[in-house]
Each structure stands twice: as structure tokens, then as C-alpha cells.
Amino acid sequence: MVDTKPLLPASNSDGSYLTGSRVNILKPIKVYLTIFCGLLAIGLFAALLIGNYWSDNARIHGSLATSTSKRTHPLRPVSRGPAQGVSEKTSGIWAGVSRGPTQGVSEKTNRVRAGVPWNILPEPWNSTMLEWQRTAFHFQPEKNWMNGPLFYNGWYHFFYQYNPKGAVWGDIVWGHAVSKDLINWFHLPLAMVADQWYDKNGVWTGSATILPDGKIVMLYTGSTTEAVQVQNLAFPANHSDPFLIDWVKYHGNPVLVPPPGIYKKDFRDPTTAWLTSEGKWRITIGSKRDKTGISLVYDTKDFINYEMLEGELHAVSGTGMWECVDFFPVSKTEEKGLDTSINGPEVKHVVKVSLDDDRHDYYALGTYHEKNGSWIPDLPEIDVGIGIRYDYGIFYASKTFYDQNKNRRVLWGWIGEGDSEAADMEKGWASLQSIPRTILFDNNTGTNLLQWPVEEIESLRLNSTEFEKVEVKAGSVVPLDVGPGSQLDIIAEFEMDKEALKKATGSNITFSCQTGGGAAKSGALGPFGILVLADESLSEQTPVYFYIAKDSDGDLKTFFCTDLSRSSKAPDVDKQIFGSYVPVLKDENLSLRVLVDHSIVESFAQGGRTVITSRIYPTEAIDGASRVFLFNNATETCVIASVKIWQMDSAFIRPYSDDDDKDDDDRKSSAPCLLLCPINYIVSCVTCLYFIYLVSKLS
């Protein structure tokens, strides 16, 4: 009920109004105002202390080094800790999991490293070392085991495979997180759980399609109670909800089952749908026949009823099961991404597959023929599964999405662990996501895609240090004074001695990163590059480097590698040498970018033509003991290096709360009142004193 006389004083029990003197009425008001202002001041002062506490604790890995240039940035809490988890694959709405021969078992269950069983945590691990491994600006769930997002109503949504019960594979459901910038994330409640007969054994990989009317449909693979892989339909319960919290599974699921001739466990991972010229929606699903990897093609008008096309989108013999197939266009003329339905003469189409047999992601460029739903590679010798990989390190089950917010295509991949399962159990988490990468066609080579970290990652850059034209002589190591080396963004360019390139003797021996002896093996023109996650004595180090090979005909070929052989003193971790050939065109200097985030190192050569992602588990080169060096192990050439290194802030990743300010700037601040509290405190105190003054004047 509305109070019709809200400003009248209170009445006595007999209905007459109180009439005391003005002084007697105002004295209690003065007292109340004084008490109120005092409490307000105390509260604001406490908020100021709390804000400073959180900002101080956001830097648990040591102070930043003095640098040549500085920029201010809101401090963020480090989303880290021993009980923070992960899962096997994340996907943009691509959140399902596909299983291979060890279905239902952690990928590391039977792995033995250096004679150390998977379930025994050996020396020298301790809690400090294990806690250091949790990343600061890569997406991870809060805890446990995890395995592209889409942009909708102002938010990026990421759905990922997640085991809420432990740091190993199993009990797979869909986790859900949202972001305004693909870097800072809020965890939301689980999006879908395994609660129906058609997905009882797991809610696996799926893809979202945004329809012309703005609505979303989701197709995902479910594993039935009989372990049959089927395709199911789901959609948001409320499209007006920007967070897409609740999802409804179609009552008539499954909408697709394995067709004749396809094994029940070889039918999974539907793609985002694209429109044909006839107005139908088209999808492709990964499978195999014997050892031939294939992608089946279906048309639909309503996402409920489907027509299977004859033949396949593509097939490659000997490649085995195709998981997480992705199909999308890239522009040959513009540096921007394209919606999945775009086609025409200025477009090439990419087919990407995740090979279940070797757990790597391969892609190829080619021509799409809409009429019969087929795709032909430009170069059969580098066809899907036998040619170019997205990433030559640990990177799997990737998925792209078209970001209509910024007209770009974005790639995300799942990064598994390279340590033992015993370590995962002790940490309470396993695996994470790569930094989202933009995808573009490389017009300079005509054969490659370019991958590059999304521009938003640069918002985390703090102090930078530059080193201009540093001479790195043959056989030398040069320290770079940048402070702690656990969270870095590094850009480097190397100029070669052209005379040395001409004089070097050629060889008929074929070089490869894996068999070339690593960074310690000297050659005429390499290796040279940068050492990250290294301790002062170099007893632990991870070289990221180039190696130039010259054949007997005098032709040069450049390789980009990462050597983990001395990355850790622990016996239960992977210590492989990763890498591959990288195209280098005439008059190009060699360039690289390296993102270091504790136990993950992402390296990009020549603008992203070749990429390597590594998991590193040092025991000594952690926290303040981690250093950066330039090195040159070539015998016949020196190199000139120009390097710029930024210390990196931590991303803001935590559960969403209804109390969170909807303002995006406030979302990115670890302590929203950090800058405002001192001002508000002073203003509030002055305001209170002014009111007391006015009341005293009235009295």
C-alpha cells in the first residue's frame, strides 16, 4: 500500500501528532547522523583495506622487474590453487568428447614414463612445485578434469567437456563459462548432464548454429546406455537470457544414429551447420571405414529430419577415425574471418580433423563443391591427416567459430598434460585450453593458415623490456634481465649473417626437429633462439629455436622446434622434441612469439605459419627463479636478435555471482574498489561532516 502522507511525523496512540521543540527533535537526528557517518567511514575504510589485500595477493609469483616502459593495468586475482581443475576437451559449443580405443579411461592410465608407473608420484615433487603449474591467463575450470565458443547477446560462451568428480576422464558433462573478451571468464552452472538414455554414457562434442532469427540450435554426440554414438538436439530454454543458463533436450532425441556400414562407436562430433543455395542446412560428422577416415554429410531443414548425401565430404585412406571435424571458409582477399555459410570464387575452404590414432589436429586447404557436398584438396601430397598440422606440440580436439562481433574466425584447442596421472590427482586438476587464436589464409605462401593469439591477450601486458640488435655469437648464451619468467609475452626477430648462409656447406642428410639432436646439437646454421623457463645455472631449460638446414643443392630449409629434453629434472614427465618445417620467404627475417604461462608455452613462428604448444614441468625454474636467455649453438654464424618481453598479468577467472557488476570494466578488476575506495572514502567523510554542519546550523 502507498503511504499517502509519507512526510508527516509519527503520531501518539491517541492519534495526535508529537509537538516537541525543534532543538529536541534535531538533537537525535544529529546523533543518528553522526553514528551513520561513522559507520559509513569505517565500512569504506574496511573496503579499502580489502581491496588492497586482494591486489597484493594477486602477485603471488614475485614482483615485476624494472623495465624500459611501463603501463598501468587493473590488478586481477590469480585464478589458481591446488584444488582448481580441468577436463579433456573444450569446444566452442563444441563441447563433447570423443573416445578412442581406451574409451571411458583416462588417456594416461597405462602410460609409464622412464620406468615410473602412472599412479606413483615420484621425487622430487612437492606442493609448491605442483601449485606453480596452474596457469594464470589460460582458461581452466575450477577443478578436476576437462577436455569454440560462440558469441551471443554480448557474451562469448564456452562449453567444454568436464568431469565434475575428479581429475581423470569419466562422467563427462558440459561445463559452461562466459566472457566479454575471451580472456577473462566467469564459470556458470553445468549446461548439460548425462541424464537421458541417449547420453547416459557421456555428453560429448557438439556444435552450435545461430539461425537467421537469432535463435540457437545445438547438435551434440551422446553415448547411449548401450555405448552407441548418436546425435542429439538441444536448445536454450530462454533465448533472452544472455547467459544461456538452462538448456532443453529435444524430446525426440536422438535425431541421427549410425548409418549402415558405420560401427556404433565411430559416429561423432557434428559440425556447425552451414546454409546451401537451396536454403537447407548442411552438417558433417566424423567417422571411418576400416582405416579410411571419412566425414559424412547430411542436409536438414529443421534440425530434426535429415537426408544423408551420397559419398563423403572427404576421405583419406590410412588416417583412421576422424574426430572433431571442422569445415569453414577463409578469404583469399581480406584479412577477416568469414561466416561458415560463405562461398564463392574469393574463398578457399578448410577441412580440419583430429586423428584419433595419433591425437594430432591436421588441416588442408581446398575447393568445396556444394552440389554433391564434396571437397577437393589443393595439394594431395599435404592432404588432411598426412600434411600440415595446426600445432606440432600438445594440441587436440580443436574447434573454430565465427565471431560476428569482430568479423574474425577464432580457433581454440584442448591442451592435455605431459606429466603423470599421479601428479594430476595430487594437483586436483588436469589440462586446459590454448589462448584463442585468429585464423587467416596466408596469401604469401598460398598453402598455409596463419594462427595468432587474439588481440585481447595484449590487455594483460604489464611492464616491458626491449633488447635491440643483440649480437649472439656462435656458441654463446646471453641472459636477458626481465625479472621472473613465469608469465611472459615475448616477441623476437633474428637477422642472419647472409655471407655465412652462402658459405655453409650443404648436406644430403634430411633434418627433423625430432631426430636432429635437440638444441644442444650444433650445426653450421643452428640451432639458435630463446631459452624460457630456465634456472640461473641452466640445469633446467626449454629452448624454442630455429634450425636452418642446407641441402647438397644449396637450398635452405628452416625448421622451428621446441626441445623439452632438459625442461625438468622430474622423471615422470614428457621430454619430447617438437617442431616442423616453417616456410620462410625471400628477404624475411626469422620471427617468433612465445607466450609463457607457468606450465604451458605457446610458440608462433613467422606470423603463425608454424605453431608449437608445450607443457613444461620444471622443479627449480619456477616462481622467481625462472629466467630467459638468448642462445646460439650454430658453429658458422652469429645472429642479431631484437627482443621485446612483457610481464603478463593474471586473467580474471572465477565463478559468476549475482552480485557482480554488469559493467565490463568492473568485471576485469580484481578489486573493483581499489581505485574508487580512497576517493569515495574522502567524499563520504566530507559529505557526512557537511550534513552534521547543516544540522548544527539548523539547531
Side-chain angles (χ1 to χ4, degrees):
M1 178 180 292
V2 177
D3 186 354
T4 57
K5 298 179 180 179
L7 300 180
L8 291 177
S11 66
N12 283 324
S13 58
D14 62 1
S16 61
Y17 296 116
L18 296 173
T19 59
S21 71
R22 198 168 108 187
V23 173
N24 290 335
I25 293 173
L26 291 174
K27 278 185 177 179
I29 295 175
K30 289 170 61 178
V31 174
Y32 297 150
L33 275 173
T34 303
I35 294 173
F36 170 76
C37 292
L39 291 173
L40 179 62
I42 293 171
L44 289 168
F45 184 67
L48 175 62
L49 292 177
I50 293 171
N52 280 308
Y53 170 81
W54 281 110
S55 66
D56 291 341
N57 281 275
R59 291 284 178 274
I60 65 174
H61 298 295
S63 61
L64 298 176
T66 303
S67 66
T68 57
S69 64
K70 299 181 180 181
R71 65 184 293 271
T72 58
H73 195 281
L75 302 181
R76 307 167 192 274
V78 180
S79 178
R80 301 166 55 80
Q84 311 268 346
V86 259
S87 79
E88 183 200 16
K89 306 186 217 185
T90 22
S91 58
I93 295 238
W94 141 89
V97 112
S98 41
R99 298 277 25 127
T102 55
Q103 182 162 342
V105 182
S106 166
E107 63 160 3
K108 295 196 280 193
T109 296
N110 299 311
R111 186 175 65 197
V112 177
R113 298 205 182 284
V116 180
W118 65 272
N119 58 348
I120 297 176
L121 186 64
E123 297 291 341
W125 293 120
N126 59 44
S127 59
T128 299
M129 298 174 188
L130 295 175
E131 184 175 345
W132 175 88
Q133 293 175 15
R134 183 153 180 96
T135 60
F137 54 84
H138 283 72
F139 177 83
Q140 294 178 267
E142 290 189 278
K143 61 181 179 179
N144 299 332
W145 187 90
M146 162 198 116
N147 215 85
L150 82 155
F151 183 80
Y152 185 76
N153 271 1
W155 290 90
Y156 294 99
H157 291 259
F158 187 54
F159 301 84
Y160 55 92
Q161 290 182 48
Y162 180 59
N163 179 2
K165 299 180 181 179
V168 296
W169 191 90
D171 301 302
I172 296 300
V173 300
W174 274 18
H176 185 192
V178 294
S179 173
K180 285 286 188 179
D181 59 5
L182 291 171
I183 300 298
N184 304 284
W185 292 89
F186 286 105
H187 295 299
L188 296 177
L190 297 178
M192 283 196 285
V193 297
D195 59 358
Q196 303 295 323
W197 71 267
Y198 50 78
D199 60 12
K200 197 66 175 178
N201 277 318
V203 181
W204 292 357
T205 299
S207 294
T209 301
I210 302 178
L211 304 180
D213 62 1
K215 293 183 178 179
I216 299 171
V217 293
M218 179 85 73
L219 289 173
Y220 72 92
T221 299
S223 180
T224 72
T225 53
E226 302 297 324
V228 180
Q229 294 173 9
V230 298
Q231 312 312 316
N232 303 308
L233 174 65
F235 46 86
N238 179 10
H239 279 89
S240 64
D241 174 15
F243 291 159
L244 302 176
I245 296 290
D246 298 315
W247 288 81
V248 176
K249 298 176 182 178
Y250 174 56
H251 66 84
N253 281 336
V255 295
L256 278 172
V257 300
I262 297 299
Y263 181 51
K264 67 178 184 178
K265 295 184 179 181
D266 295 336
F267 184 65
R268 53 186 179 263
D269 309 342
T271 62
T272 296
W274 67 94
L275 272 173
T276 68
S277 59
E278 296 178 348
K280 296 179 181 179
W281 291 98
R282 182 168 289 174
I283 64 168
T284 185
I285 298 173
S287 186
K288 70 174 181 177
R289 291 192 180 97
D290 296 324
K291 288 294 291 181
T292 297
I294 62 175
S295 51
L296 305 169
V297 183
Y298 292 85
D299 282 356
T300 182
K301 292 182 178 180
D302 56 9
F303 290 89
I304 297 172
N305 302 288
Y306 293 82
E307 171 195 0
M308 183 177 175
L309 276 64
E310 293 186 11
E312 301 92 14
L313 179 71
H314 194 51
V316 180
S317 62
T319 55
M321 178 65 198
W322 284 8
E323 298 190 308
C324 303
V325 177
D326 200 9
F327 178 73
F328 58 90
V330 289
S331 174
K332 296 190 294 182
T333 59
E334 297 181 277
E335 292 189 356
K336 68 176 185 179
L338 299 176
D339 180 86
T340 310
S341 298
I342 297 296
N343 198 1
E346 303 304 317
V347 166
K348 282 188 177 291
H349 275 83
V350 178
V351 170
K352 166 263 162 187
V353 302
S354 301
L355 292 193
D356 194 28
D357 286 358
D358 70 6
R359 314 298 284 181
H360 297 310
D361 281 18
Y362 295 80
Y363 75 86
L365 294 157
T367 302
Y368 167 56
H369 300 279
E370 183 194 283
K371 186 174 181 180
N372 64 357
S374 68
W375 173 91
I376 307 297
D378 289 346
L379 300 171
E381 62 271 25
I382 53 173
D383 203 349
V384 181
I386 61 174
I388 304 174
R389 284 164 48 181
Y390 270 158
D391 193 297
Y392 290 87
I394 300 178
F395 185 93
Y396 193 66
S398 61
K399 173 74 175 177
T400 67
F401 78 106
Y402 174 63
D403 177 10
Q404 70 272 31
N405 181 43
K406 291 195 172 184
N407 295 321
R408 59 186 177 179
R409 182 158 291 272
V410 177
L411 167 72
W412 245 12
W414 171 64
I415 313 301
E417 298 293 330
D419 61 351
S420 65
E421 191 169 275
D424 297 344
M425 298 294 288
E426 183 69 21
K427 292 181 296 186
W429 57 271
S431 70
L432 62 151
Q433 286 301 117
S434 66
I435 292 298
R437 306 169 182 176
T438 57
I439 289 280
L440 291 172
F441 174 66
D442 186 355
N443 276 293
N444 292 321
T445 66
T447 58
N448 291 77
L449 294 175
L450 298 175
Q451 305 171 61
W452 200 249
V454 293
E455 61 184 0
E456 289 89 341
I457 191 66
E458 297 173 15
S459 68
L460 298 181
R461 288 174 171 174
L462 296 171
N463 297 345
S464 68
T465 308
E466 293 189 65
F467 304 88
E468 291 287 346
K469 297 193 177 299
V470 179
E471 183 179 14
V472 189
K473 296 181 179 179
S476 67
V477 177
V478 178
L480 300 180
D481 185 12
V482 296
S486 295
Q487 295 177 210
L488 301 175
D489 186 354
I490 304 170
I491 292 180
E493 185 174 275
F494 299 90
E495 299 176 41
M496 299 296 298
D497 184 339
K498 292 182 172 57
E499 287 302 313
L501 293 175
K502 292 178 181 178
K503 293 178 181 179
T505 303
S507 170
N508 59 2
I509 299 174
T510 301
F511 177 85
S512 77
C513 294
Q514 292 74 19
T515 62
K521 180 74 171 181
S522 295
L525 303 176
F528 57 88
I530 194 162
L531 304 178
V532 298
L533 296 178
D535 65 340
E536 196 70 46
S537 66
L538 299 181
S539 64
E540 289 183 331
Q541 55 176 284
T542 299
V544 181
Y545 61 96
F546 293 100
Y547 189 101
I548 301 176
K550 192 173 188 179
D551 64 22
S552 54
D553 294 328
D555 296 324
L556 300 176
K557 194 172 184 179
T558 303
F559 294 82
F560 183 57
C561 317
T562 298
D563 181 359
L564 309 189
S565 61
R566 291 164 291 166
S567 61
S568 175
K569 293 182 177 179
D572 61 332
V573 302
D574 251 336
K575 299 179 184 179
Q576 297 185 58
I577 300 173
F578 298 127
S580 185
Y581 163 73
V582 56
V584 179
L585 305 183
K586 184 180 180 181
D587 297 329
E588 283 185 344
N589 285 330
L590 299 180
S591 64
L592 61 79
R593 181 177 182 182
V594 182
L595 293 174
V596 180
D597 187 5
H598 297 265
S599 61
I600 182 172
V601 176
E602 294 186 72
S603 305
F604 305 79
Q606 300 307 103
R609 287 182 191 142
T610 299
V611 184
I612 306 171
T613 298
S614 310
R615 298 302 307 277
I616 317 297
Y617 306 94
T619 62
E620 296 186 7
I622 64 175
D623 296 323
S626 181
R627 296 286 182 264
V628 180
F629 299 82
L630 290 168
F631 81 97
N632 179 11
N633 272 353
T635 60
E636 299 182 17
T637 183
C638 73
V639 295
I640 304 299
S642 295
V643 187
K644 188 170 185 178
I645 303 177
W646 290 265
Q647 292 283 346
M648 295 292 279
D649 204 348
S650 298
F652 184 74
I653 304 174
R654 67 169 175 80
Y656 178 79
S657 167
D658 290 338
D659 296 331
D660 284 310
D661 192 332
K662 300 300 185 293
D663 183 279
D664 183 45
D665 291 334
D666 288 345
R667 287 187 184 281
K668 296 180 181 178
S669 172
S670 63
C673 70
L674 184 61
L675 299 176
L676 297 178
C677 275
I679 299 172
N680 290 342
Y681 180 71
I682 296 170
V683 171
S684 299
C685 289
V686 171
T687 302
C688 288
L689 291 172
Y690 181 67
F691 271 108
I692 293 172
Y693 168 75
L694 289 178
V695 171
S696 64
K697 292 292 289 182
L698 289 171
S699 61

